[in-house]
Amino acid sequence: MEKKSRAGFSLNALLLTMVLPLIVALLISNLVSGYRQSEIMLQDEKVYFDTLYSISNLLTNADRDFYQAQLAGTQYNAYERYVDNATAQRYLDEVEENNAEVLERVNEAVELAKTNDYLWNQVTSENGNTMSTLYDDFNTNYALWEKDYDFVTGQGDFITWINHFSAARNALSEMSDIVELWAEQEREYNHTNATIAILITLGVFVVISLILLLFSIFIIMTINKNLKNIKASVDIISGGDFVTKIRPNSFIRDFNAIGNSLESMRHDLRNALVRVINHAQDVNSKAEIAKDNLSASQQTTNNINSAVYDIAESATAMAQDVSNASAITMEIGEAVDKVLESANNNLENGQMVYDKSSKLKEMLEQIKIQDQNTDTVASEVSDSVGETANVVSQISAAAEGIINISSQTNLLALNASIEAARAGEAGRGFAVVADNIKNLAEETNTLAGEITGMLSTITHYSENNKQLAEEIKAATTTEAAALEEMSVSFDEMLNLLQETEAGNNQIVELVKNVDDGKNNILQSVDSLSSISQENAASTEETSASLSQLDESMTAVVEQANELQAIAEALTENVRFFQVELPAEEIKVTTIQRNDRPVSKGEEAAV
């Protein structure tokens, strides 16, 4: 295959040729703008901070000090006769200190202004004065101000002193105005320079951009032309023409590479189509043979499938019978499991009843012991109540004796009173004693009556307590008998529970033996069921595989028919493509290849 290659430019190089100058122009513009902005910033800093701020600050402070000196002098002149010497001297010291600071700051501001000749000699105020002339005016008026009035001697013209102060201060204020005017002019000058620099940078960038735009238009037109050529080549191939060669011719290497790739693709597709045409008839004939062989195989498969189907039905019936036997055995096993579970539950419940009955018997024994203790205590209480009744009887007898003594004492007191009345004045004292004895006897009688009433109440309660104690004793006796009967009943019930437990243990052993037999039967039935199911499954899988093989054979036959139809259609369709070389080109190609072996691809292409 003939290919032409020529030296050219890379598309990436051309695009970089457009982009890089624009980037360089942008960088240079930014650098120039940044440099100019830096210069303007430094110049503004020098104007506004180093000069304007410094001079204005010095002149403002000088004006303030000048005013304070004037104020101190005025205060001295006004209050010197009314204040003490220390205060007056302080006024004079303030005048001297402020005067020195005024001259120092004005001279420092002037030195800064002299560094810029334009500011010092050319910028004028509204009155037409410059910094230099105003400095001279300030020095003149300041010198006159210092000489106009002597504060120590009080000699001089005070009004003239004030006028020269105003003139000197006006000079300072006008100097500050000139500095501000100069700063404004410098700002306008810097703004003009910055605008010019931006316009120059913009003009250079616009010129470079226009040049790059023209170059870009040329490159785009060239790319469009090459794309049209490539599209025309692709249209030739898509139209089925694989004979016409593609000959790229562009100064851009990328498009030449695309053209060469299309030519290589055309050549390879033509060879492939030639091989497809040569093999289409072979595929058609072999598809017919395969279809006949597959039909015979399909009949044999159907016969095998019928025999396997009969075996599968027998195996399935056997597996069903084994499955039914296994289900019945499982039901018996479940019943045995339930019996075993019930026996175990009965055994556990019987043990629980036995344990609780034992605890109840122990509690009854404790109640019997407590009942015996209660009976003993009730006897003791009854005896104690009887003794208490005896003591109360004795106290009642003593109270009756006291009452008798009180009655006799009362009679004796009455007799003593009667005898004292008969004795007259001699028996008056004895009458008083008799009255007191009578009163004591009455009180004793009253208390003895109350004691008798309380003893009657105690006697009543003692009788009740004695009766209750006897009832308690009778009840405890009856309760002891009942507890004894309950204890005997619990002993009999415990014996029955022990016998029941022994019977339950025997039932559990028997059920376990039945369960072991059931498990052995289930294992045997499961093994037989597994074998039957495996046989049935194997026969079913074999039958299914044969059915699937039959379906596959049918599908393969259908696919063979389809393949034959596709081969015929492919043979018809490839006729659309032009793959036959002209006779003169075949001759030239053959002559060129006489000196070396011809490959299979080249042979197919020819």
Side-chain angles (χ1 to χ4, degrees), residues 453-473:
M454 286 188 279
L455 290 175
S456 299
T457 302
I458 291 172
T459 301
H460 176 71
Y461 286 137
S462 296
E463 293 293 335
N464 291 334
N465 290 334
K466 184 176 182 182
Q467 184 178 358
L468 291 173
E470 291 177 354
E471 292 177 355
I472 290 171
K473 184 176 181 181

Side-chain angles (χ1 to χ4, degrees), residues 236-477:
I236 291 173
I237 294 174
S238 63
D241 185 0
F242 289 90
V243 177
T244 303
K245 293 185 178 181
I246 298 173
R247 295 179 175 85
N249 184 15
S250 174
F251 70 93
I252 299 176
R253 289 198 301 270
D254 298 296
F255 290 107
N256 286 331
I258 294 172
N260 291 329
S261 298
L262 286 174
E263 172 59 20
S264 177
M265 181 184 70
R266 180 201 66 80
H267 181 267
D268 294 338
L269 287 176
R270 177 188 169 279
N271 292 338
L273 288 171
V274 170
R275 287 193 293 271
V276 169
I277 294 170
N278 292 332
H279 294 302
Q281 293 296 332
D282 294 337
V283 172
N284 192 5
S285 60
K286 290 179 180 179
E288 183 67 26
I289 296 171
K291 182 177 69 173
D292 296 336
N293 293 331
L294 290 172
S295 297
S297 299
Q298 187 178 14
Q299 183 63 34
T300 303
T301 302
N302 290 330
N303 295 331
I304 296 172
N305 189 17
S306 178
V308 171
Y309 181 75
D310 294 336
I311 296 172
E313 285 185 348
S314 300
T316 303
M318 180 179 177
Q320 184 64 34
D321 294 337
V322 173
S323 178
N324 294 332
S326 176
I328 294 170
T329 307
M330 287 296 294
E331 291 177 357
I332 295 172
E334 290 177 358
V336 172
D337 291 336
K338 291 180 180 179
V339 172
L340 179 60
E341 183 179 359
S342 299
N344 288 325
N345 291 333
N346 290 333
L347 186 60
E348 293 176 358
N349 293 331
Q351 185 64 37
M352 291 173 62
V353 172
Y354 181 79
D355 294 337
K356 291 183 179 180
S357 298
S358 299
K359 292 180 180 179
L360 287 174
K361 184 179 178 183
E362 293 176 358
M363 293 172 65
L364 286 173
E365 293 296 332
Q366 293 177 0
I367 292 172
K368 285 172 63 178
I369 295 171
Q370 292 176 359
D371 185 68
Q372 292 175 358
N373 294 331
T374 302
D375 191 14
T376 303
V377 171
S379 297
E380 293 177 357
V381 170
S382 179
D383 295 338
S384 176
V385 169
E387 293 176 359
T388 302
N390 293 330
V391 172
V392 170
S393 297
Q394 294 175 3
I395 293 172
S396 298
E400 289 178 357
I402 292 171
I403 291 172
N404 293 328
I405 293 170
S406 176
S407 298
Q408 293 176 3
T409 302
N410 193 13
L411 291 175
L412 289 174
L414 180 61
N415 291 331
S417 297
I418 295 171
E419 293 296 329
R422 289 177 181 178
E425 289 296 329
R428 183 175 295 176
F430 185 71
V432 173
V433 173
D435 288 336
N436 290 329
I437 291 172
K438 182 182 180 181
N439 291 332
L440 289 174
E442 291 178 352
E443 290 178 359
T444 300
N445 191 17
T446 302
L447 292 174
E450 292 177 355
I451 290 171
T452 301
M454 286 188 279
L455 290 175
S456 299
T457 302
I458 291 172
T459 301
H460 176 71
Y461 286 137
S462 296
E463 293 293 335
N464 291 334
N465 290 334
K466 184 176 182 182
Q467 184 178 358
L468 291 173
E470 291 177 354
E471 292 177 355
I472 290 171
K473 184 176 181 181
T476 53
T477 302

Side-chain angles (χ1 to χ4, degrees), residues 554-571:
T554 302
V556 170
V557 171
E558 293 177 356
Q559 291 175 0
N561 293 328
E562 293 177 357
L563 181 61
Q564 185 180 10
I566 292 171
E568 294 175 356
L570 181 62
T571 304

